């Protein structure tokens, strides 16, 4: 069964450093998303991406964040200058343009720890 | 998107049916009810969705009341692996739309 994959599973970085989180969505999917979950809190939407541009973004997704689909398979989230409060699980998801159901498939997540 | 209310936690005995309720009294006519779950520290997993008719798939059944103001997710024979946080989300299924997760119901399946 096809699945969304994410690398790395765990990333440790120093405050102020740049990090890139990588995702490989399901191959025939066209919509891509990033969510995050701070420990003990709700899953929060960050950004959605379609046709090589951002469809929607939340207030969390400020100028420190960017997304890119550098090739036909990868979807990346970059945090330019990490802060302590960026420590969280980051989940990538994808969905296929089919009918009207927009079922989203999530990856296993990347745990980002900012020291 | 309509707001949902779920109990924070529930217990269920292994092998019994788990019935997880969700109130969505402000749901509008074009909004669907979706259920996702999150097993500890994993990515959320889609379970089922419906508009007004009851739905069943290999994972669960979804019962939506006639006035659509509430619904129940039923896991017919809960196993220990069904221990997870279950999220009820009400939204218009527009393409590319975000999912807004609440606190969900933490279901503990006990032997």
């Amino acid at each position: 069964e096809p699945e969304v994959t994410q690398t790395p599973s765990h990333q440790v970085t120093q405050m102020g450093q740049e990090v890139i989180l990588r995702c490989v969505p399901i191959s025939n999917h066209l919509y891509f998303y990033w969510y995050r979950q701070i420990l003990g809190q709700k899953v929060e939407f960050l950004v959605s991406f379609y046709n090589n541009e951002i469809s929607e973004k939340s207030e969390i997704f400020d100028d420190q964040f960017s997304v890119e689909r550098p090739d036909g398979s990868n979807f990346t989230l970059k945090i330019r200058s990490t802060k302590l409060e960026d420590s969280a699980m980051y989940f990538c998801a994808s969905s296929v343009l089919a009918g009207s159901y927009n079922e989203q498939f999530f990856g296993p997540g990347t745990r980002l720890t900012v020291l | 998107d309509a707001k949902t209310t779920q109990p924070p936690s529930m217990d269920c005995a292994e092998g019994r049916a788990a019935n997880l309720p969700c109130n969505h009294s402000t749901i509008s006519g074009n909004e669907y009810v979706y259920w996702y779950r999150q097993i500890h520290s994993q990515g959320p997993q889609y379970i089922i969705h419906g508009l007004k008719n009851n739905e069943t798939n290999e994972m669960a059944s979804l019962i939506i009341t006639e006035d659509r103001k509430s619904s129940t997710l039923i896991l017919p024979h809960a196993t220990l692996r069904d221990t997870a946080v279950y999220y009820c989300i009400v939204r218009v299924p527009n393409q590319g739309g975000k999912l807004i997760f609440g606190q969900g119901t933490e279901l503990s399946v006990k032997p």
Side-chain angles (χ1 to χ4, degrees), chain A residues 1 12 21 29 31 49 51 65 82 101 114:
Chain A
E1 184 174 325
V12 181
L21 309 183
H29 286 190
Y31 283 90
F49 190 86
N51 199 25
F65 291 87
T82 50
Y101 302 124
V114 182

Side-chain angles (χ1 to χ4, degrees), chain B residues 49-68:
Chain B
H49 72 274
L51 179 62
K52 54 184 178 181
N53 297 320
N54 298 338
E55 302 287 346
T56 295
N57 63 19
E58 65 278 5
M59 290 183 69
S61 295
L62 174 60
I63 308 297
I64 302 173
T65 57
E66 194 168 339
D67 64 7
R68 302 208 324 121

Side-chain angles (χ1 to χ4, degrees), chain B residues 10-16 78-81 83 107-111:
Chain B
M10 292 182 64
D11 289 341
C12 177
E14 188 179 17
R16 305 297 294 267
T79 70
L80 299 179
R81 288 179 297 178
T83 293
L107 175 69
S108 296
V109 181
K110 300 181 185 298

Side-chain angles (χ1 to χ4, degrees), chain A residues 3-114:
Chain A
E3 58 184 18
V4 176
T5 59
Q6 291 185 242
T7 55
S9 58
H10 191 186
Q11 173 93 45
V12 181
T13 190
Q14 294 291 325
M15 188 171 57
Q17 294 296 304
E18 175 184 286
V19 295
I20 297 176
L21 309 183
R22 291 182 168 80
C23 168
V24 179
I26 294 172
S27 63
N28 64 332
H29 286 190
L30 298 176
Y31 283 90
F32 314 112
Y33 314 83
W34 284 100
Y35 294 80
R36 79 170 187 190
Q37 186 174 33
I38 295 170
L39 185 64
Q41 298 187 22
K42 297 184 292 187
V43 177
E44 301 173 287
F45 168 77
L46 292 178
V47 65
S48 59
F49 190 86
Y50 170 70
N51 199 25
N52 280 322
E53 60 183 30
I54 291 173
S55 309
E56 186 176 4
K57 60 183 181 179
S58 72
E59 291 179 354
I60 303 168
F61 194 89
D62 61 21
D63 292 344
Q64 291 300 313
F65 291 87
S66 63
V67 289
E68 191 180 28
R69 186 151 165 84
D71 53 42
S73 60
N74 290 285
F75 180 51
T76 62
L77 174 69
K78 181 193 289 186
I79 308 174
R80 288 192 185 82
S81 178
T82 50
K83 308 184 188 70
L84 295 177
E85 54 264 38
D86 293 327
S87 294
M89 282 289 288
Y90 287 81
F91 296 108
C92 173
S94 67
S95 64
V96 64
L97 186 66
S100 60
Y101 302 124
N102 194 30
E103 173 187 337
Q104 293 185 24
F105 292 83
F106 285 77
T110 292
R111 180 173 299 283
L112 176 65
T113 302
V114 182

